[in-house]
Amino acid sequence: MNLTDGEELQHIITHAPIGICILDADTFVAEMLNDKFLEIAGKPREAILNKWYWEPFAEVRSYYEAALIGVKETGEAYYADEVEMALIRHGREETIYVKFVYAPVKDGTGKVTKLAVWVLENTRQVSERQKIQAARLAMQAERDRLHEFFMQAPAGICVLNGPEMTFELVNPRYQELFPGRKLLGKPLFEAVPEVRDAPIWDVLQKVYHTGKTFEGNDLLIPLARTPDGPVENRYFNFIYQARTDINGNIDGILVFVYEVTENIVGRLELKQAQNILQLAVDASGIGIWTVDLTTGIMTLTPRTRAIHGIPTDTHLTLEKASEMIVEEFREKVMSSINEAIVNKCDFIEEYWLQPMDGSPRRWLKSNGRAYYDISGKPLYVTGAIFDFTEQKADDTRKNDFIGMVSHELKTPLTSLNAIIQVLNLKLKSHEDSFVPGAVAKANTQVKKMTGMINGFLNISRLESGKIAIEKRRFDLEELISEIIEETKVTNPSHNVAFDKSGSALINADHDKIASVITNLISNAIKYSPKGQMLTIRCEVKAGNVQVSVKDKGIGIAPDDMKNIFDRYYRVIQKDTQHISGFGIGLYLSAEIIVHHNGKIWAESEPGKGSTFYFSLPLD
């Protein structure tokens, strides 16, 4: 570059649209500059003109001094395109973007005599471009996040594009609805042709042309899962929402879908099961009741209302319903329900009830349990009621009959027993040994018959509430010893060991406790092989005396253990077919112990024997 005309140079510099500063090539002193350069520099003219160039621009000297010297030494221009520069302007540091050129100015001989600094600021353009770029990046990031959300969403999502409903986006959950099918990039009819005749196609068209969002729940759509698979009745919850372009025109549909086929099918199956259960409940004659423990209000099935004689328009609380229970049973029933609520257990009670409509009393059995929320707070109690008034009447008639027959049989048996005893005395020295033996056997059979009749009489008295407990004070260990001695005479086939505690005084019915001990020993003998040892133990524990009878017999199976104290229950198996009995001994023993405020139980293992226990309060 050569500038020879001073006036021309001054005119060019002054009116140039870019900043220009002319430096002396030897001293780097600013000799000339225009207003545009001052505007870009942000410094007053006197701070730059006639000053060493790096004095006003000390903040950028380290970056560009070498370049300026290089232009002086090489005569080659230095170009900087859109560089970021931290410059002190108007007394504060500013970051600006500039394009500048360090250009050599040569004389006629080619010597560099001046250096021209040409500078153009484009901070605003760069800033705008950066904002646009940042907005684009933010938009892209938002798109990426939205796409990631779609891909990871727990519901099926797809985007249908254009009037042909082409799959533009399909997330994994949506693809799972159609395993094996290629959806992306295909029109809906091509990818899922079975929707062509389904009502759902009309719904899609309506959303596309009106822009109105459609929501559906539990809708039936016949669809195949795989391309060649059978069409199935499938149920879906979904939302169809129109998508618009930047001009607000509808260009597609956004679909959110969740398959609920399993839930619907399960609900239908549950409804069917409930209907079957209801039929079974109705056929069984069982009534169901539920009481809300917050409000106390009861919900009753029609059968429950019929049993209790309650009109359909009458509402009850548990307290009001309890008033229909006959007084002697009321407290026990309510205590049982309350105990079940507190201890989270079942309750079962039998009681007489006087129906609300004044009809005859009914004998009911009610059982149920309480239900709780996640914190353990009881919410409601529900129970089932069975009316077995007729069965109770049948039992009463049967017990009356058994009692009557047993009572009538006792008189001839007593006479027969007396005759046999007299014969036994007179025939002891009979020359034919068969006769005394036969009489002795007859006497044994009469005793057995007398024992059975007494057992049936006791059951009859027990069921009618007429069994009498006549208590007196005696030593339980002495009673056990006496019974063992009698057993050794009548049943010498088994050995009996007695482990005593020393003394066990109780206040109880001597004869009835004796019958319990005799029954337990008799059972141990009947159900164990000859020659086996029976072990009887009497122990004092925490204010109670505990008696146990242990044998090494055939044992009892777990399924039978829960019923062995039931009336008329007998264990039926190959080993017990030859053993006589009516299943009343353990039932009577259990009732006698209960009437003494005691406990009775058993432990057993098949093939290894059994141990029967009972405990009574000490005197």
Side-chain angles (χ1 to χ4, degrees):
M1 176 182 291
N2 294 303
L3 293 174
T4 56
D5 189 332
E7 291 183 4
E8 182 181 359
L9 175 61
Q10 183 69 40
H11 180 78
I12 291 172
I13 292 173
T14 300
H15 295 91
I18 64 174
I20 300 175
C21 179
I22 305 299
L23 306 178
D24 179 80
D26 293 327
T27 63
F28 294 100
V29 171
E31 295 180 339
M32 189 181 299
L33 70 164
N34 65 358
D35 292 340
K36 195 67 176 178
F37 188 89
L38 292 174
E39 178 186 331
I40 296 171
K43 295 176 172 59
R45 183 180 296 273
E46 61 272 17
I48 302 174
L49 191 63
N50 299 320
K51 303 289 186 181
W52 180 50
Y53 185 71
W54 298 117
E55 182 179 338
F57 299 110
E59 61 268 28
V60 295
R61 176 184 175 185
S62 60
Y63 300 102
Y64 302 109
E65 183 179 21
L68 190 60
I69 293 173
V71 173
K72 167 68 171 67
E73 293 177 348
T74 64
E76 300 291 334
Y78 173 81
Y79 297 90
D81 184 27
E82 204 171 90
V83 297
E84 182 180 348
M85 182 179 294
L87 197 66
I88 303 298
R89 303 204 306 179
H90 308 294
R92 65 179 183 274
E93 184 178 286
E94 295 183 33
T95 299
I96 63 173
Y97 293 88
V98 295
K99 294 181 178 180
F100 66 88
V101 179
Y102 292 157
V105 180
K106 302 176 181 177
D107 59 13
T109 63
K111 179 182 178 183
V112 178
T113 59
K114 305 291 183 183
L115 295 172
V117 179
W118 307 77
V119 60
L120 174 65
E121 183 178 2
N122 56 349
T123 301
R124 183 177 59 80
Q125 293 88 336
V126 171
S127 179
E128 290 297 328
R129 190 169 68 246
Q130 287 179 338
K131 289 179 181 179
I132 293 171
Q133 183 65 23
R136 287 176 178 172
L137 292 174
M139 184 179 297
Q140 185 60 46
E142 191 63 30
R143 285 178 178 173
D144 291 343
R145 279 197 298 271
L146 185 59
H147 183 272
E148 190 68 19
F149 166 75
F150 284 169
M151 290 298 106
Q152 295 182 6
I157 299 176
C158 75
V159 176
L160 302 174
N161 185 47
E164 293 187 346
M165 308 290 174
T166 301
F167 284 101
E168 181 181 310
L169 179 145
V170 177
N171 79 340
R173 273 323 226 354
Y174 192 94
Q175 183 66 63
E176 287 175 5
L177 302 176
F178 304 96
R181 295 202 195 199
K182 187 179 185 310
L183 303 177
L184 203 60
K186 287 188 174 184
L188 180 61
F189 277 169
E190 181 182 343
V192 192
E194 54 265 39
V195 303
R196 183 184 295 273
D197 299 323
I200 206 68
W201 173 253
D202 295 333
V203 175
L204 285 166
Q205 290 296 313
K206 186 175 181 180
V207 173
Y208 187 82
H209 289 100
T210 66
K212 187 176 180 179
T213 298
F214 179 85
E215 296 186 24
N217 292 311
D218 301 344
L219 293 185
L220 171 62
I221 305 177
L223 289 174
R225 296 186 183 275
T226 58
D228 301 323
V231 174
E232 306 172 28
N233 285 335
R234 300 169 67 183
Y235 296 85
F236 299 88
N237 295 342
F238 55 78
I239 299 174
Y240 292 156
Q241 182 176 321
R243 185 189 68 175
T244 57
D245 59 19
I246 57 175
N247 297 317
N249 299 317
I250 297 174
D251 67 351
I253 295 177
L254 180 61
V255 179
F256 296 87
V257 62
Y258 186 78
E259 183 167 7
V260 292
T261 302
E262 289 186 5
N263 295 344
I264 298 298
V265 171
R267 207 152 62 210
L268 293 174
E269 291 177 349
L270 177 60
K271 183 63 176 177
Q272 183 180 13
Q274 288 174 335
N275 290 337
I276 294 173
L277 178 61
Q278 187 61 51
L279 287 173
V281 170
D282 292 343
S284 69
I286 294 175
I288 306 297
W289 60 270
T290 301
V291 57
D292 186 319
L293 294 175
T294 302
T295 63
I297 300 298
M298 297 188 73
T299 302
L300 310 174
T301 62
R303 176 58 181 162
T304 305
R305 287 184 176 274
I307 292 172
H308 289 73
I310 303 170
T312 55
D313 58 349
T314 300
H315 299 286
L316 288 181
T317 62
L318 181 60
E319 182 180 0
K320 187 69 175 176
S322 70
E323 294 176 3
M324 287 184 279
I325 300 173
V326 174
E327 187 174 358
E328 62 183 286
F329 296 95
R330 189 179 303 153
E331 183 178 352
K332 186 172 185 296
V333 173
M334 298 306 295
S335 295
S336 181
I337 294 174
N338 290 329
E339 183 180 355
I341 295 172
V342 173
N343 297 329
K344 298 183 178 181
C345 61
D346 294 351
F347 65 86
I348 180 167
E349 289 294 334
E350 296 180 8
Y351 52 91
W352 279 109
L353 177 124
Q354 178 60 63
M356 183 179 288
D357 60 2
S359 56
R361 285 185 178 186
R362 296 178 182 270
W363 184 261
L364 304 183
K365 176 185 283 187
S366 182
N367 63 285
R369 67 178 57 178
Y371 294 85
Y372 309 80
D373 62 16
I374 57 175
S375 67
K377 177 184 177 182
L379 298 177
Y380 61 94
V381 178
T382 188
I385 288 179
F386 182 69
D387 179 359
F388 64 114
T389 306
E390 287 302 317
Q391 293 90 324
K392 187 71 173 177
D394 288 342
D395 285 346
T396 300
R397 287 189 287 268
K398 180 178 65 176
N399 288 331
D400 289 345
F401 175 75
I402 291 173
M404 180 186 68
V405 171
S406 299
H407 186 271
E408 292 301 320
L409 286 173
K410 282 195 74 175
T411 300
L413 271 177
T414 301
S415 299
L416 182 59
N417 185 47
I419 293 170
I420 290 174
Q421 288 179 1
V422 171
L423 282 174
N424 191 39
L425 290 173
K426 290 188 175 184
L427 296 174
K428 277 185 178 181
S429 59
H430 197 278
E431 58 186 20
D432 187 349
S433 61
F434 170 77
V435 175
V439 172
K441 289 180 180 179
N443 188 44
T444 301
Q445 295 303 318
V446 168
K447 286 184 177 180
K448 286 184 178 180
M449 182 63 74
T450 302
M452 281 192 296
I453 290 173
N454 285 334
F456 284 125
L457 274 173
N458 284 331
I459 287 179
S460 179
R461 292 167 182 159
L462 187 66
E463 295 293 332
S464 62
K466 296 177 181 179
I467 190 169
I469 302 296
E470 299 177 359
K471 294 184 178 182
R472 65 183 176 87
R473 193 167 180 267
F474 63 92
D475 190 329
L476 181 59
E477 290 193 343
E478 289 183 4
L479 175 60
I480 296 172
S481 297
E482 291 172 4
I483 294 172
I484 290 174
E485 291 304 315
E486 292 176 5
T487 301
K488 289 179 180 179
V489 175
T490 57
N491 292 284
S493 59
H494 290 70
N495 299 314
V496 181
F498 184 24
D499 185 3
K500 302 180 181 181
S501 63
S503 177
L505 293 176
I506 61 172
N507 189 35
D509 189 312
H510 182 278
D511 293 340
K512 289 183 173 57
I513 297 301
S515 70
V516 172
I517 299 168
T518 300
N519 182 262
L520 295 183
I521 295 175
S522 176
N523 281 348
I525 291 173
K526 284 196 295 184
Y527 293 98
S528 60
K530 292 182 179 180
Q532 290 288 338
M533 175 68 73
L534 306 183
T535 304
I536 302 174
R537 179 174 286 116
C538 185
E539 304 173 83
V540 175
K541 293 183 175 182
N544 292 281
V545 58
Q546 177 179 298
V547 177
S548 63
V549 179
K550 180 178 182 181
D551 65 61
K552 296 181 180 179
I554 60 177
I556 305 170
D559 289 341
D560 291 313
M561 282 291 289
K562 58 187 178 183
N563 300 312
I564 57 173
F565 294 107
D566 292 349
R567 185 180 54 178
Y568 305 130
Y569 185 83
R570 294 197 67 224
V571 176
I572 304 300
Q573 60 187 48
K574 184 175 67 175
D575 296 332
T576 63
Q577 290 178 352
H578 65 285
I579 301 174
S580 62
F582 290 93
I584 61 175
L586 287 178
Y587 168 71
L588 281 172
S589 297
E591 290 297 327
I592 289 169
I593 295 300
V594 169
H595 276 71
H596 282 80
N597 297 318
K599 296 180 181 179
I600 188 168
W601 69 99
E603 297 173 354
S604 185
E605 186 175 348
K608 295 187 177 180
S610 307
T611 304
F612 280 79
Y613 302 85
F614 72 85
S615 67
L616 295 170
L618 283 171
D619 183 21

Coordinates of all heavy atoms in Angstrom, one line a residue, residues 154-214:
P154 N -43.9 -44.7 30.4 CA -44.5 -46.0 30.7 C -45.7 -46.3 29.9 O -46.2 -47.4 29.9 CB -44.8 -45.8 32.2 CG -45.0 -44.4 32.4 CD -44.1 -43.7 31.5
A155 N -46.2 -45.3 29.1 CA -47.4 -45.6 28.3 C -46.9 -45.6 26.8 O -45.8 -45.1 26.5 CB -48.4 -44.5 28.4
G156 N -47.7 -46.2 25.9 CA -47.4 -46.2 24.5 C -47.6 -44.9 23.9 O -48.7 -44.3 24.1
I157 N -46.6 -44.3 23.2 CA -46.8 -43.0 22.5 C -46.4 -43.2 21.1 O -45.3 -43.8 20.8 CB -45.9 -42.0 23.2 CG1 -46.4 -41.8 24.7 CG2 -46.0 -40.6 22.5 CD1 -45.5 -40.8 25.4
C158 N -47.1 -42.6 20.2 CA -46.7 -42.5 18.8 C -47.2 -41.2 18.2 O -48.1 -40.6 18.7 CB -47.3 -43.7 18.0 SG -49.0 -43.6 17.6
V159 N -46.6 -40.8 17.1 CA -47.0 -39.6 16.3 C -47.4 -40.0 15.0 O -46.6 -40.7 14.2 CB -45.9 -38.5 16.3 CG1 -46.4 -37.3 15.4 CG2 -45.6 -38.0 17.7
L160 N -48.7 -39.8 14.6 CA -49.2 -40.1 13.2 C -49.2 -38.8 12.4 O -49.8 -37.8 12.8 CB -50.6 -40.6 13.3 CG -50.8 -41.9 14.2 CD1 -52.3 -42.3 14.3 CD2 -50.0 -43.1 13.6
N161 N -48.5 -38.8 11.3 CA -48.3 -37.6 10.5 C -49.2 -37.6 9.2 O -49.3 -38.7 8.5 CB -46.8 -37.6 10.0 CG -46.5 -36.3 9.3 OD1 -46.8 -35.2 9.7 ND2 -45.8 -36.4 8.2
G162 N -49.8 -36.5 9.0 CA -50.5 -36.3 7.8 C -51.8 -37.0 7.7 O -52.2 -37.8 8.6
P163 N -52.6 -36.8 6.7 CA -54.0 -37.4 6.6 C -53.9 -38.9 6.4 O -54.9 -39.6 6.7 CB -54.6 -36.8 5.3 CG -53.4 -36.3 4.5 CD -52.3 -35.9 5.5
E164 N -52.7 -39.5 6.0 CA -52.6 -40.9 5.9 C -52.2 -41.6 7.2 O -52.0 -42.8 7.3 CB -51.6 -41.3 4.8 CG -52.0 -40.9 3.4 CD -51.1 -41.4 2.3 OE1 -49.9 -41.8 2.7 OE2 -51.4 -41.5 1.2
M165 N -52.0 -40.7 8.2 CA -51.6 -41.2 9.5 C -50.3 -42.1 9.5 O -50.3 -43.2 10.0 CB -52.8 -42.0 10.2 CG -54.1 -41.3 10.2 SD -54.1 -39.9 11.3 CE -55.7 -39.2 11.0
T166 N -49.3 -41.5 8.9 CA -48.0 -42.3 8.9 C -47.3 -42.2 10.2 O -47.2 -41.2 10.8 CB -47.1 -41.7 7.8 OG1 -47.8 -41.7 6.5 CG2 -45.8 -42.5 7.6
F167 N -46.8 -43.4 10.6 CA -46.1 -43.4 11.9 C -44.8 -42.6 11.8 O -43.8 -43.1 11.1 CB -45.8 -44.9 12.3 CG -47.0 -45.6 12.8 CD1 -47.7 -46.5 12.0 CD2 -47.4 -45.4 14.1 CE1 -48.8 -47.2 12.5 CE2 -48.5 -46.1 14.6 CZ -49.2 -47.0 13.8
E168 N -44.7 -41.5 12.5 CA -43.5 -40.6 12.4 C -42.6 -40.9 13.7 O -41.4 -40.8 13.6 CB -43.9 -39.1 12.4 CG -42.8 -38.2 12.4 CD -43.3 -36.7 12.4 OE1 -44.2 -36.4 11.6 OE2 -42.8 -36.0 13.3
L169 N -43.2 -41.3 14.8 CA -42.5 -41.6 16.0 C -43.2 -42.7 16.7 O -44.5 -42.7 16.8 CB -42.4 -40.4 16.9 CG -41.6 -40.6 18.2 CD1 -40.8 -39.4 18.6 CD2 -42.6 -41.0 19.4
V170 N -42.5 -43.7 17.1 CA -43.0 -44.9 17.9 C -42.1 -45.2 19.0 O -40.9 -45.5 18.8 CB -43.2 -46.1 17.0 CG1 -43.7 -47.3 17.8 CG2 -44.1 -45.9 15.8
N171 N -42.6 -45.1 20.3 CA -41.8 -45.4 21.4 C -41.8 -46.9 21.7 O -42.7 -47.6 21.2 CB -42.1 -44.5 22.6 CG -43.4 -45.0 23.4 OD1 -44.2 -45.8 22.8 ND2 -43.5 -44.6 24.6
P172 N -40.9 -47.4 22.5 CA -40.8 -48.9 22.7 C -42.1 -49.4 23.3 O -42.5 -50.5 22.9 CB -39.7 -49.0 23.8 CG -38.8 -47.8 23.5 CD -39.7 -46.7 23.1
R173 N -42.8 -48.7 24.2 CA -44.0 -49.2 24.8 C -45.1 -49.4 23.8 O -45.9 -50.3 23.9 CB -44.5 -48.3 25.9 CG -43.8 -48.6 27.3 CD -43.7 -50.0 27.5 NE -44.0 -50.7 28.7 CZ -44.4 -50.4 29.9 NH1 -44.6 -49.2 30.2 NH2 -44.6 -51.3 30.8
Y174 N -45.2 -48.5 22.8 CA -46.2 -48.6 21.8 C -45.8 -49.8 20.9 O -46.7 -50.5 20.5 CB -46.2 -47.3 20.9 CG -47.4 -47.2 20.0 CD1 -48.6 -46.6 20.4 CD2 -47.4 -47.8 18.7 CE1 -49.7 -46.6 19.6 CE2 -48.5 -47.8 17.9 CZ -49.6 -47.2 18.3 OH -50.7 -47.1 17.5
Q175 N -44.5 -49.9 20.6 CA -44.1 -51.0 19.7 C -44.4 -52.4 20.3 O -44.7 -53.4 19.7 CB -42.6 -50.9 19.4 CG -42.1 -52.0 18.5 CD -42.6 -51.9 17.1 OE1 -42.4 -50.9 16.4 NE2 -43.3 -52.9 16.6
E176 N -44.4 -52.4 21.7 CA -44.7 -53.7 22.4 C -46.1 -54.1 22.2 O -46.4 -55.3 22.3 CB -44.4 -53.5 23.9 CG -43.0 -53.4 24.3 CD -42.8 -53.1 25.8 OE1 -43.8 -53.1 26.5 OE2 -41.7 -52.9 26.2
L177 N -47.0 -53.2 21.8 CA -48.4 -53.6 21.5 C -48.5 -54.4 20.3 O -49.4 -55.1 20.1 CB -49.2 -52.3 21.4 CG -49.3 -51.4 22.6 CD1 -50.1 -50.2 22.3 CD2 -49.8 -52.1 23.8
F178 N -47.5 -54.3 19.4 CA -47.5 -54.9 18.1 C -46.1 -55.6 17.8 O -45.4 -55.2 16.9 CB -47.8 -54.0 17.0 CG -49.1 -53.2 17.1 CD1 -49.1 -51.9 17.7 CD2 -50.3 -53.8 16.8 CE1 -50.3 -51.3 17.9 CE2 -51.5 -53.1 17.0 CZ -51.5 -51.8 17.5
P179 N -45.7 -56.6 18.6 CA -44.4 -57.2 18.5 C -44.3 -57.9 17.1 O -45.2 -58.5 16.6 CB -44.4 -58.3 19.6 CG -45.8 -58.5 19.9 CD -46.6 -57.2 19.7
G180 N -43.2 -57.6 16.5 CA -42.9 -58.2 15.1 C -43.4 -57.4 14.0 O -43.1 -57.7 12.8
R181 N -44.1 -56.3 14.3 CA -44.6 -55.4 13.2 C -43.7 -54.2 13.0 O -43.2 -53.6 13.9 CB -46.0 -54.9 13.5 CG -47.1 -56.0 13.5 CD -48.4 -55.3 13.3 NE -49.5 -56.2 13.7 CZ -50.8 -56.1 13.3 NH1 -51.1 -55.1 12.5 NH2 -51.7 -56.9 13.7
K182 N -43.5 -53.9 11.7 CA -42.7 -52.7 11.4 C -43.7 -51.5 11.3 O -44.6 -51.5 10.4 CB -41.9 -52.8 10.1 CG -41.0 -51.7 9.8 CD -40.2 -51.9 8.6 CE -39.2 -50.8 8.3 NZ -39.7 -49.4 8.5
L183 N -43.6 -50.5 12.2 CA -44.6 -49.4 12.2 C -44.0 -48.2 11.6 O -44.6 -47.5 10.8 CB -45.0 -49.2 13.6 CG -45.7 -50.4 14.4 CD1 -46.0 -50.0 15.8 CD2 -46.9 -50.9 13.6
L184 N -42.8 -47.8 12.1 CA -42.2 -46.5 11.7 C -42.1 -46.3 10.2 O -41.6 -47.1 9.5 CB -40.8 -46.4 12.4 CG -40.2 -45.0 12.6 CD1 -41.1 -44.3 13.6 CD2 -38.8 -45.1 13.2
G185 N -42.6 -45.1 9.8 CA -42.5 -44.8 8.4 C -43.7 -45.4 7.5 O -43.7 -45.1 6.3
K186 N -44.6 -46.1 8.1 CA -45.7 -46.8 7.4 C -47.0 -46.1 7.7 O -47.2 -45.7 8.9 CB -45.8 -48.2 7.7 CG -44.7 -49.1 7.1 CD -45.0 -50.6 7.3 CE -44.0 -51.4 6.6 NZ -44.4 -52.9 6.7
P187 N -47.9 -45.9 6.7 CA -49.2 -45.5 7.0 C -50.0 -46.4 8.0 O -49.7 -47.6 8.0 CB -49.9 -45.4 5.7 CG -48.8 -45.3 4.7 CD -47.7 -46.1 5.3
L188 N -50.9 -45.9 8.7 CA -51.6 -46.7 9.7 C -52.3 -47.9 9.1 O -52.2 -49.1 9.6 CB -52.6 -45.9 10.5 CG -53.5 -46.6 11.6 CD1 -52.5 -47.1 12.7 CD2 -54.5 -45.6 12.1
F189 N -53.0 -47.7 7.9 CA -53.7 -48.8 7.3 C -52.7 -49.9 6.8 O -53.1 -51.1 6.8 CB -54.5 -48.3 6.1 CG -55.8 -47.7 6.5 CD1 -56.6 -47.0 5.6 CD2 -56.3 -47.9 7.8 CE1 -57.8 -46.5 5.9 CE2 -57.5 -47.4 8.1 CZ -58.3 -46.7 7.2
E190 N -51.5 -49.5 6.4 CA -50.6 -50.5 6.0 C -50.0 -51.3 7.1 O -49.8 -52.5 7.1 CB -49.5 -49.8 5.2 CG -48.4 -50.8 4.6 CD -47.3 -50.1 3.8 OE1 -47.5 -48.9 3.4 OE2 -46.2 -50.7 3.7
A191 N -49.7 -50.6 8.2 CA -49.0 -51.2 9.4 C -50.0 -52.0 10.2 O -49.7 -53.1 10.7 CB -48.3 -50.2 10.2
V192 N -51.2 -51.5 10.4 CA -52.3 -52.1 11.2 C -53.6 -52.2 10.4 O -54.5 -51.4 10.7 CB -52.5 -51.4 12.5 CG1 -53.3 -52.2 13.5 CG2 -51.1 -51.1 13.2
P193 N -53.7 -53.0 9.4 CA -54.8 -53.0 8.5 C -56.2 -53.3 9.1 O -57.2 -52.9 8.6 CB -54.5 -54.0 7.4 CG -53.5 -54.9 8.1 CD -52.7 -54.1 9.0
E194 N -56.2 -54.0 10.3 CA -57.4 -54.4 10.9 C -58.2 -53.2 11.5 O -59.4 -53.3 11.8 CB -57.2 -55.4 12.0 CG -56.2 -55.1 13.1 CD -54.9 -55.6 12.8 OE1 -54.4 -55.6 11.6 OE2 -54.2 -56.1 13.8
V195 N -57.5 -52.0 11.6 CA -58.3 -50.9 12.2 C -59.2 -50.2 11.1 O -60.0 -49.3 11.4 CB -57.3 -49.8 12.7 CG1 -56.5 -50.4 13.8 CG2 -56.5 -49.1 11.7
R196 N -59.0 -50.6 9.8 CA -59.7 -50.0 8.7 C -61.3 -50.1 9.0 O -62.0 -49.1 8.7 CB -59.4 -50.6 7.4 CG -60.1 -49.9 6.2 CD -59.7 -50.7 4.9 NE -58.3 -50.6 4.6 CZ -57.7 -49.6 3.9 NH1 -58.5 -48.6 3.5 NH2 -56.5 -49.6 3.7
D197 N -61.7 -51.2 9.4 CA -63.1 -51.4 9.7 C -63.6 -51.2 11.1 O -64.7 -51.4 11.4 CB -63.5 -52.8 9.2 CG -63.2 -53.1 7.8 OD1 -63.4 -52.2 7.0 OD2 -62.8 -54.2 7.5
A198 N -62.6 -50.7 11.9 CA -63.0 -50.5 13.3 C -63.4 -49.0 13.5 O -63.0 -48.1 12.8 CB -61.7 -50.7 14.2
P199 N -64.3 -48.8 14.5 CA -64.8 -47.4 14.7 C -63.7 -46.4 15.1 O -63.9 -45.2 14.9 CB -65.8 -47.6 15.9 CG -66.1 -49.0 15.9 CD -65.0 -49.8 15.3
I200 N -62.6 -47.0 15.5 CA -61.5 -46.1 16.0 C -60.9 -45.2 14.8 O -60.4 -44.1 15.0 CB -60.4 -46.9 16.6 CG1 -59.6 -46.0 17.6 CG2 -59.4 -47.5 15.6 CD1 -60.4 -45.6 18.8
W201 N -61.0 -45.7 13.6 CA -60.6 -44.9 12.4 C -61.4 -43.7 12.3 O -60.8 -42.6 12.0 CB -60.6 -45.8 11.2 CG -60.3 -45.0 9.9 CD1 -61.1 -44.6 9.0 CD2 -59.0 -44.5 9.6 NE1 -60.5 -43.9 8.0 CE2 -59.2 -43.8 8.4 CE3 -57.7 -44.6 10.1 CZ2 -58.1 -43.2 7.7 CZ3 -56.7 -43.9 9.5 CH2 -56.9 -43.3 8.3
D202 N -62.7 -43.7 12.5 CA -63.5 -42.6 12.4 C -63.2 -41.6 13.5 O -63.2 -40.3 13.3 CB -65.0 -43.0 12.5 CG -65.5 -43.8 11.3 OD1 -64.9 -43.7 10.2 OD2 -66.4 -44.6 11.5
V203 N -62.8 -42.1 14.6 CA -62.4 -41.2 15.7 C -61.1 -40.4 15.4 O -61.0 -39.2 15.6 CB -62.2 -42.0 17.0 CG1 -61.6 -41.1 18.1 CG2 -63.5 -42.7 17.5
L204 N -60.2 -41.1 14.8 CA -58.9 -40.5 14.4 C -59.2 -39.4 13.3 O -58.6 -38.3 13.4 CB -58.0 -41.5 13.8 CG -57.3 -42.5 14.8 CD1 -56.6 -43.6 14.1 CD2 -56.2 -41.7 15.6
Q205 N -60.0 -39.7 12.4 CA -60.4 -38.7 11.3 C -61.0 -37.5 11.9 O -60.7 -36.3 11.5 CB -61.3 -39.3 10.3 CG -60.6 -40.4 9.4 CD -59.5 -39.8 8.6 OE1 -59.7 -38.7 7.9 NE2 -58.3 -40.4 8.6
K206 N -61.9 -37.7 12.9 CA -62.6 -36.5 13.5 C -61.6 -35.7 14.3 O -61.6 -34.4 14.2 CB -63.6 -37.1 14.5 CG -64.5 -36.0 15.1 CD -65.6 -36.6 15.9 CE -66.5 -35.4 16.5 NZ -67.6 -36.0 17.3
V207 N -60.6 -36.3 15.0 CA -59.6 -35.5 15.7 C -58.7 -34.7 14.7 O -58.4 -33.5 14.9 CB -58.7 -36.4 16.6 CG1 -57.6 -35.7 17.2 CG2 -59.6 -37.1 17.7
Y208 N -58.4 -35.4 13.6 CA -57.5 -34.7 12.6 C -58.2 -33.5 11.9 O -57.5 -32.5 11.7 CB -57.1 -35.7 11.5 CG -56.1 -35.2 10.6 CD1 -54.7 -35.2 10.9 CD2 -56.4 -34.7 9.3 CE1 -53.8 -34.7 10.0 CE2 -55.5 -34.2 8.4 CZ -54.2 -34.2 8.8 OH -53.2 -33.7 7.9
H209 N -59.5 -33.6 11.7 CA -60.2 -32.6 11.0 C -60.8 -31.5 11.9 O -61.0 -30.4 11.4 CB -61.3 -33.1 10.1 CG -60.7 -33.9 8.9 ND1 -60.6 -35.3 8.9 CD2 -60.2 -33.5 7.7 CE1 -60.1 -35.7 7.7 NE2 -59.8 -34.6 7.0
T210 N -61.0 -31.8 13.1 CA -61.6 -30.8 14.0 C -60.6 -30.3 15.1 O -60.8 -29.2 15.6 CB -62.8 -31.4 14.8 OG1 -62.3 -32.5 15.7 CG2 -63.8 -32.0 13.8
G211 N -59.6 -31.0 15.3 CA -58.6 -30.6 16.3 C -59.1 -30.9 17.8 O -58.4 -30.5 18.7
K212 N -60.2 -31.5 17.9 CA -60.8 -31.8 19.3 C -60.2 -33.0 19.8 O -60.2 -34.1 19.2 CB -62.3 -31.9 19.2 CG -63.0 -32.0 20.6 CD -64.5 -32.0 20.4 CE -65.1 -32.1 21.8 NZ -66.6 -32.1 21.7
T213 N -59.6 -32.9 21.0 CA -59.0 -34.1 21.7 C -60.0 -35.1 22.1 O -61.1 -34.8 22.5 CB -58.2 -33.6 23.0 OG1 -57.2 -32.7 22.6 CG2 -57.6 -34.8 23.7
F214 N -59.6 -36.4 21.9 CA -60.5 -37.5 22.3 C -59.9 -38.4 23.3 O -58.7 -38.7 23.2 CB -60.9 -38.3 21.0 CG -61.8 -39.5 21.3 CD1 -63.2 -39.4 21.3 CD2 -61.3 -40.8 21.6 CE1 -64.0 -40.4 21.6 CE2 -62.1 -41.8 21.9 CZ -63.5 -41.7 21.9

